[in-house]
Every structure is written in structure tokens, then in C-alpha cells.
Amino acid sequence: MYTWLWRKLPGGLPLKLLQVLILFLAVTALLFFVIFPWIEPLMPYNNVTVN
């Protein structure tokens, strides 16, 4: 998959590295701001009580 992505990105090495960095940051932001908050209520460790 990574080889396929690397071959599909346009430009030389510096531009490809920049594009990979931007893609990584975009996926990370999507996970932290959309996916993780959406799935948090479904996780079993939300209701923790300590006696």
C-alpha cells in the first residue's frame, strides 16, 4: 500500500515527503477530532467507578 501511494504522488523526493507529511497529519487530525470522539461512548471503559 505504501509503495502504491509513493508511486501515485506527483513530484520529486522533497515534494513527496511533504505530501506524505501532510497526509499523515490529515489522517491523524481526522482520527482525533472525528473518529475517536464518535467511538468514545461505545467503549466499555467509560463508566469507571472507584470505591
Side-chain angles (χ1 to χ4, degrees):
M1 178 180 150
Y2 299 113
T3 305
W4 176 84
L5 178 64
W6 189 258
R7 278 190 260 138
K8 294 295 180 186
L9 290 174
L13 181 63
L15 183 58
K16 284 185 180 188
L17 290 174
L18 179 64
Q19 291 172 356
V20 166
L21 177 65
I22 290 171
L23 282 171
F24 174 76
L25 292 175
V27 168
T28 303
L30 178 72
L31 285 172
F32 274 103
F33 294 117
V34 177
I35 303 300
F36 292 158
W38 173 71
I39 203 167
E40 182 184 13
L42 305 174
M43 299 306 287
Y45 49 81
N46 266 352
N47 300 325
V48 177
T49 57
V50 177
N51 292 327

